[in-house]
């Protein structure tokens, strides 16, 4: 039996994209006099004059082979006791969880029979793991498969950027074999070394992000290892941050809707619930994978403020809320956002309320469209961070820039009928009084909020009056089948009168607030709006009995007769 190893390579290997030598068409070929294999349905047969005496099943394929060529090279088959032929099962031996599957086992068989095999970056990792599974070491035979693969991997694959990336991708489905054989570590070390050289001061001919596309195509565990090593090498944090942004945008689906930019609350809430329902239909495994990606990306963010923009941090926070990772991670993102909040926009702050990773969508009318609590925590963190910066470094306050952002945000959420007065007021009063150079934006937000509130009252009144009219018209028809409930009709009329009184009070408060607003604009002076809020809250809580009724109905508008409002919402829905 004659064996030979042939290496096909050009006289002058061309340069790879990063300047390293790349050997093309590298193959290790093992030859031996043999007929080969033929396939029949789901079985492979060694074509030889001598009948086969061993059948091995890998996945759903059965290989009918001879014992001697395999036992002479595979220590695993030599150590186990091969069972007698079993015609009922159709095989003598079944290899469970064989690395690379039936395709890789076919390469192993060809090597054992001395037939030509071709090693390339696509199959070298699987073949190396399979040869380790079968214990094809030098102790079995000189020049065995493990030694040949190691030579190819070390001198051919690791010298090329593209081949290394290809092998590392193939290792994703070969765990834990590829990890234990140090193939993953060696590939990552080779990639890190090439990135470090490509971004060094003496090599500026290549752009800094030349490696982004390939590295962001890797599994999150491999990406995490590479970025962690680059951070340890003190690479520019902005470059690392840009790479993390590319990875997040590639692997995390977008949940933003175009209507978020239009300011149309009605369309936005429809798209939001459509988005939430669609996300609910995704598999649990997908949500778990995305949650892992979010947690991993946040864990490797460089600590420098300039590393990633505020827009990306808020985008990640929305993902974190959607896929429900640990609360600690959410709070960490919120603190990080507070440090660069001055660069945020209103659309960035429109954070969804619901999570769809492991929780059901709560569509009750109590729930607000946007997560006001998250924004409130971000503002609280900002004030703490701002105070520390002023005390330690004496930097200029950026609260005036934040006040414009907060006022614009209040104007945006004012269209949500489920935003209570208390929540709206707490957000409005989050910033200190001196932070606002002008209260115009705040007045506009309050004006928008009151117009929504007034509209609710008008619709509620119309709904109740319509119901009262229908009750009167149908009273005669119902007398024949059942007695009318005079007590219920009387209660409804009393409730209507209370609502009318409160509407009149609300209209007076609104007119007074509008008058104050116009007065301030004419005089162009600063003023406080706390007085208006006190009057609103006073009118809202003027009737204790009505408040208790509102509590029983579970409505958020504690000052507007919410019992009837609930009925109105049911009729509209």
């Amino acid at each position: 039996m004659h064996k030979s190893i042939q290496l096909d390579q050009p006289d002058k290997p061309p340069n790879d994209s990063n300047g390293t030598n790349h050997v093309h068409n590298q193959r290790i070929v093992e030859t031996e006099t043999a007929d080969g294999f033929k396939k029949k349905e789901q079985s492979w047969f060694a074509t030889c004059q001598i009948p086969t005496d061993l059948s091995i099943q890998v996945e759903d394929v059965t290989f009918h082979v001879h014992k001697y060529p395999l036992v002479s090279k595979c220590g695993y088959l030599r150590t186990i006791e091969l069972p007698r032929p079993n015609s009922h099962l159709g095989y003598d031996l079944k290899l469970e969880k064989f690395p690379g599957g039936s395709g890789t086992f076919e390469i192993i068989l060809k090597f054992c029979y001395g037939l030509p095999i071709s090693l390339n970056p696509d199959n070298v990792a699987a073949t190396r793991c399979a040869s380790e599974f079968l214990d094809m070491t030098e102790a079995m035979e000189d020049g065995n498969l493990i030694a040949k693969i190691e030579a190819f991997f070390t001198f051919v694959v690791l010298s090329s950027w593209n081949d290394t990336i290809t092998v590392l991708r193939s290792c994703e489905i070969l765990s834990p074999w590829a990890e234990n054989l140090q193939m993953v570590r060696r590939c990552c070390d080779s990639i890190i070394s090439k990135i470090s050289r490509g971004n060094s001061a003496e090599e500026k001919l290549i752009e800094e992000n030349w490696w982004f596309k390939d590295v962001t195509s890797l599994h999150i565990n491999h990406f995490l290892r590479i970025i962690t090593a680059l951070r340890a090498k003190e690479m520019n944090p902005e470059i690392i941050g840009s790479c993390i942004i590319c990875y997040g945008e590639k692997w995390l689906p977008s949940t933003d809707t175009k209507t978020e930019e239009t300011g149309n609350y009605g369309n936005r809430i429809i798209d939001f619930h459509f988005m939430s329902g669609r996300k609910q239909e995704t598999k649990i495994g997908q949500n778990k994978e995305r949650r892992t990606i979010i947690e991993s990306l946040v864990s490797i963010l460089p600590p420098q403020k300039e590393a990633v923009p505020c827009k990306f941090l808020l985008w990640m926070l929305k993902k974190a809320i959607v896929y429900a990772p640990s609360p600690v991670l959410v709070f960490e993102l919120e603190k990080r956002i507070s440090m660069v909040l001055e660069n945020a926009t209103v659309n960035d702050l429109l954070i969804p309320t619901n999570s769809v990773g492991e929780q059901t969508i709560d569509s009750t009318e109590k729930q607000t469209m946007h997560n006001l609590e998250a924004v409130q925590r971000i503002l609280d963190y900002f004030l703490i961070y701002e105070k520390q910066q002023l005390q330690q470094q004496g930097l200029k306050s950026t609260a005036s820039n934040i006040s414009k952002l907060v006022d614009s945000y209040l104007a945006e959420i004012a269209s949500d009928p489920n935003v209570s007065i208390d929540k709206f007021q707490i957000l409005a009063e989050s910033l200190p009084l001196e932070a606002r150079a002008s209260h115009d934006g705040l007045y506009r937000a309050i004006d928008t909020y009151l117009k929504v509130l007034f509209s609710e009252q008008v619709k509620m009144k119309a709904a109740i009056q319509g119901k009262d009219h229908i009750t009167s018209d149908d009273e005669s028809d119902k007398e024949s089948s059942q007695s009318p409930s005079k007590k219920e009709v009387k209660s409804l009329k009393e409730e209507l009168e209370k609502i009318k009184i409160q509407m009149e009070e609300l209209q007076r408060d609104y007119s007074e607030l509008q008058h104050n607003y116009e007065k301030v604009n004419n005089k162009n002076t600063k003023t406080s709006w706390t007085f208006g809020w006190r009057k609103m809250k006073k009118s809202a809580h003027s009737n204790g009995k009505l408040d208790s009724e509102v509590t029983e109905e579970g409505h958020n508008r504690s000052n507007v007769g919410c019992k009837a409002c609930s009925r109105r919402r049911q009729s509209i829905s």
Side-chain angles (χ1 to χ4, degrees), residues 189-389:
D189 290 346
S190 176
I191 291 171
I192 293 166
S193 175
K194 291 178 174 61
I195 292 175
S196 300
R197 289 203 309 268
N199 286 277
S200 61
E202 60 271 14
E203 294 188 19
K204 287 299 182 182
L205 296 177
I206 304 174
E207 295 186 7
E208 292 178 336
N209 61 352
W210 63 267
W211 48 277
F212 282 14
K213 182 178 179 180
D214 290 327
V215 171
T216 54
S217 67
L218 300 174
H219 188 271
I220 183 60
N221 293 336
H222 302 159
F223 179 80
L224 189 67
R225 180 179 298 193
I226 292 173
I227 296 299
T228 302
L230 292 176
R231 281 188 56 183
K233 291 179 175 291
E234 298 183 352
M235 175 174 278
N236 188 332
E238 294 186 26
I239 297 178
I240 294 179
S242 298
C243 187
I244 293 174
I245 293 173
C246 290
Y247 194 93
E249 292 175 345
K250 184 171 186 176
W251 290 92
L252 295 174
S254 176
T255 56
D256 296 334
T257 57
K258 293 182 179 179
T259 50
E260 285 188 352
E261 300 176 359
T262 64
N264 190 315
Y265 173 80
N267 292 338
R268 207 167 56 241
I269 194 169
I270 292 174
D271 287 351
F272 175 78
H273 285 297
F274 174 76
M275 174 201 74
S276 301
R278 183 178 58 190
K279 287 290 185 293
Q280 271 190 302
E281 297 174 359
T282 58
K283 297 180 180 178
I284 296 178
Q286 268 187 334
N287 291 336
K288 184 178 180 181
E289 180 182 1
R290 290 166 183 169
R291 181 163 58 249
T292 301
I293 292 175
I294 293 171
E295 293 173 347
S296 301
L297 294 183
V298 173
S299 68
I300 58 176
L301 286 174
Q304 293 82 357
K305 288 175 56 176
E306 67 277 5
V308 288
C310 183
K311 186 178 184 68
F312 176 74
L313 294 173
L314 282 162
W315 184 77
M316 286 292 292
L317 179 60
K318 295 175 185 178
K319 302 294 182 185
I321 292 176
V322 168
Y323 294 106
S326 64
V328 176
L329 181 138
V330 173
F331 295 151
E332 182 64 28
L333 271 174
E334 291 173 350
K335 290 181 180 179
R336 183 71 183 261
I337 292 168
S338 68
M339 298 169 58
V340 289
L341 186 58
E342 60 192 67
N343 300 321
T345 64
V346 176
N347 286 333
D348 296 336
L349 285 178
L350 298 179
I351 304 169
T353 301
N354 297 319
S355 62
V356 297
E358 296 176 352
Q359 303 176 9
T360 57
I361 300 299
D362 183 9
S363 59
T364 61
E365 51 187 19
K366 290 182 182 180
Q367 193 173 30
T368 57
M369 170 65 176
H370 301 293
N371 197 325
L372 307 184
E373 290 76 13
V375 176
Q376 182 66 58
R377 288 193 299 268
I378 292 173
L379 286 175
D380 294 340
Y381 292 141
F382 165 77
L383 293 174
I384 296 174
Y385 176 75
E386 179 86 355
K387 185 177 180 181
Q388 293 175 349
Q389 293 298 307

Side-chain angles (χ1 to χ4, degrees), residues 453-461 499 503 506 559-560:
L453 201 61
F454 180 73
S455 175
E456 289 288 309
Q457 298 288 346
V458 172
K459 292 178 182 178
M460 186 166 42
K461 177 182 177 181
I499 293 175
M503 284 183 61
L506 183 62
N559 65 329
V560 290

Side-chain angles (χ1 to χ4, degrees), residues 14-175:
N15 289 334
D16 202 356
S17 60
N18 62 340
T20 59
N21 290 333
H22 184 181
V23 183
H24 288 273
N25 300 323
Q26 294 280 0
R27 295 190 305 163
I28 296 181
V29 181
E30 191 76 37
T31 60
E32 177 186 58
T33 304
D35 295 333
F37 289 88
K38 65 178 181 179
K39 185 178 182 181
K40 184 179 181 181
E41 295 179 350
Q42 290 299 103
S43 300
W44 284 88
F45 297 87
T47 55
C48 184
Q49 296 180 353
I50 303 175
T52 59
D53 54 357
L54 179 63
S55 58
I56 301 176
Q57 181 172 341
V58 180
E59 294 178 332
D60 58 346
V61 179
T62 303
F63 297 87
H64 299 273
V65 295
H66 302 86
K67 289 183 181 179
Y68 177 75
L70 274 69
V71 172
S72 63
K73 293 182 174 62
C74 303
Y76 173 78
L77 298 179
R78 182 178 295 186
T79 55
I80 66 172
E81 182 179 355
L82 296 174
R84 296 180 179 179
N86 191 330
S87 59
H88 175 68
L89 294 176
Y91 59 86
D92 301 327
L93 177 64
K94 185 174 183 179
L95 299 179
E96 300 281 359
K97 299 180 179 179
F98 186 77
S102 57
T104 303
F105 189 71
E106 182 184 348
I107 298 176
I108 298 292
L109 287 180
K110 289 181 178 180
F111 177 81
C112 292
Y113 274 90
L115 297 174
I117 65 171
S118 177
L119 292 178
N120 56 62
D122 293 313
N123 64 22
V124 65
T127 308
R128 175 65 180 89
C129 296
S131 62
E132 187 72 20
F133 181 97
L134 296 172
D135 194 20
M136 303 179 72
T137 63
E138 294 293 291
M140 299 298 301
E141 184 178 77
D142 291 339
N144 212 343
L145 187 55
I146 290 180
K148 296 184 183 299
I149 294 176
E150 282 294 331
F152 177 79
F153 179 71
T154 302
F155 298 107
V156 178
V157 172
L158 295 182
S159 63
S160 166
W161 168 270
N162 293 330
D163 290 349
T164 305
I165 292 290
T166 301
V167 172
L168 191 53
R169 287 199 197 105
S170 67
C171 290
E172 296 173 5
I173 59 174
L174 295 172
S175 180

